[in-house]
């Protein structure tokens, strides 16, 4: 009975002679799971974001799966990229058109992601100015703004925002209407949101009313 209960909770998977940990066991870290979701939407959002980047732009790619999708599209024209995501570093380091700056600091490992954060990271980014920041977030609502699950990342993201002329959020529709642990920014602090058609127009109007431009990936 105990094994049946644990299997029903996706904590164990019964096998001949006993049980093993379930491959479907839920992650303690929501962002580990979210990196694997909505890949088609994220790819379309990244393709739209690419059209906002000009030759010789200086951009910051904050951590996240949509930022990684955008990094995969870069390389056909000269761009300077700063990033704190080691998966993005791995994607860009061999592309000759990319001038790559890797932020220094402590590495946080979360599932398949490795992100640099903390005071050393903050001091590094303060030395630079970027044309466009592609800011990574966990959830967003008109009332609570842009939120993340890890309070320790908040200071880093606020420092990134202070370095940017334009702040862009690539947000798939699944992230709207939910809250996370702490607010990073008000909606009014963001210049542009790029999302997919899963966000109804009447919902996007709430963000436009707060002073943020909303772009749909398939427009």
């Amino acid at each position: 009975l105990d094994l049946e209960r644990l299997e029903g909770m996706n904590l164990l998977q019964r096998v001949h002679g006993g049980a093993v940990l379930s491959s479907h066991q839920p992650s303690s870290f929501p962002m580990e799971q979210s990196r694997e979701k909505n890949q088609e939407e994220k790819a379309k959002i990244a393709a739209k974001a690419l059209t906002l980047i000009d030759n010789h732009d200086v951009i910051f790619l904050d951590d996240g799966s949509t930022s990684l999708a955008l990094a995969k599209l870069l390389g056909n024209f000269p761009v300077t990229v700063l990033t704190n995501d080691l998966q993005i570093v791995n994607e860009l380091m061999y592309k000759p058109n990319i001038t790559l700056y890797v932020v220094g600091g402590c590495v946080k490992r979360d599932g398949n992601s490795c992100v640099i954060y903390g005071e050393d990271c903050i001091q590094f980014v303060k030395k630079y100015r970027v044309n466009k920041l592609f800011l990574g977030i966990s959830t967003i609502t008109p009332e609570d703004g842009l939120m993340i699950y890890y309070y320790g990342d908040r200071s880093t993201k606020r420092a990134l925002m202070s370095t940017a002329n334009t702040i862009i959020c690539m947000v798939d529709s699944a992230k709207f209407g939910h809250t996370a642990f702490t607010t990073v920014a008000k909606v009014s602090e963001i210049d542009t949101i790029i999302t997919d058609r899963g966000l109804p127009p009447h919902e996007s109007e709430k963000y436009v009313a707060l002073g943020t431009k909303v772009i749909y990936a398939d427009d």
Side-chain angles (χ1 to χ4, degrees):
L1 179 60
D2 290 338
L3 288 179
E4 289 179 0
R5 185 180 298 116
L6 291 171
E7 186 175 37
M9 295 170 63
N10 284 327
L11 296 175
L12 291 179
Q13 181 179 351
R14 286 189 295 174
V15 297
H16 181 70
V20 297
L21 287 174
S22 173
S23 59
H24 304 294
Q25 186 173 353
S27 170
S28 300
F29 302 96
M31 287 311 294
E32 178 182 341
Q33 292 178 312
S34 71
R35 278 185 173 243
E36 305 302 324
K37 294 180 178 179
N38 307 312
Q39 293 301 313
E40 183 177 350
E41 289 83 358
K42 291 174 181 180
K44 291 179 180 178
I45 291 168
K48 190 68 173 183
L50 183 67
T51 68
L52 304 183
I53 302 174
D54 299 315
N55 281 5
H56 302 289
D57 260 351
V58 179
I59 68 172
F60 198 108
L61 292 182
D62 192 15
D63 67 280
S65 54
T66 313
S67 291
L68 177 60
L70 177 55
K72 291 178 179 179
L73 299 177
L74 292 172
N76 292 329
F77 55 91
V79 177
T80 296
V81 179
L82 291 78
T83 189
N84 60 335
D85 188 317
L86 294 183
Q87 286 187 309
I88 293 174
V89 171
N90 187 60
E91 179 64 35
L92 295 179
M93 63 189 302
Y94 299 110
K95 296 184 177 182
N97 277 331
I98 305 299
T99 300
L100 181 61
Y101 285 75
V102 182
V103 174
C106 183
V107 175
K108 178 184 71 179
R109 300 172 183 86
D110 177 8
N112 63 351
S113 69
C114 292
V115 178
I116 299 168
Y117 76 113
E119 188 58 32
D120 289 335
C121 172
I122 291 170
Q123 294 305 317
F124 181 95
V125 302
K126 283 182 177 179
K127 296 186 291 184
Y128 300 96
R129 192 77 193 167
V130 300
N131 302 117
K132 291 150 190 164
L133 163 65
F134 292 89
L135 180 67
I137 63 164
S138 302
T139 65
I140 181 171
T141 72
E143 300 79 16
D144 296 310
L146 292 77
M147 306 190 76
I148 57 173
Y149 289 106
Y150 303 98
Y151 183 80
D153 289 345
R154 185 182 186 279
S155 296
T156 301
K157 291 183 183 291
R158 292 298 304 182
L160 299 182
M161 292 173 63
S162 72
T163 70
N165 295 335
T166 301
I167 302 172
I168 301 166
C169 276
M170 301 180 291
V171 190
D172 67 85
S173 58
K175 293 182 178 180
F176 285 84
H178 305 287
T179 60
F181 184 64
T182 188
T183 296
V184 171
K186 298 176 181 178
V187 173
S188 59
E189 295 180 88
I190 306 304
D191 297 287
T192 303
I193 293 170
I194 309 174
T195 190
D196 58 82
R197 284 292 175 184
L199 181 70
H202 71 271
E203 288 294 325
S204 70
E205 290 170 2
K206 297 177 182 178
Y207 296 90
V208 174
L210 293 171
T212 299
K213 183 177 182 181
V214 176
I215 299 175
Y216 283 100
D218 56 357
D219 281 350

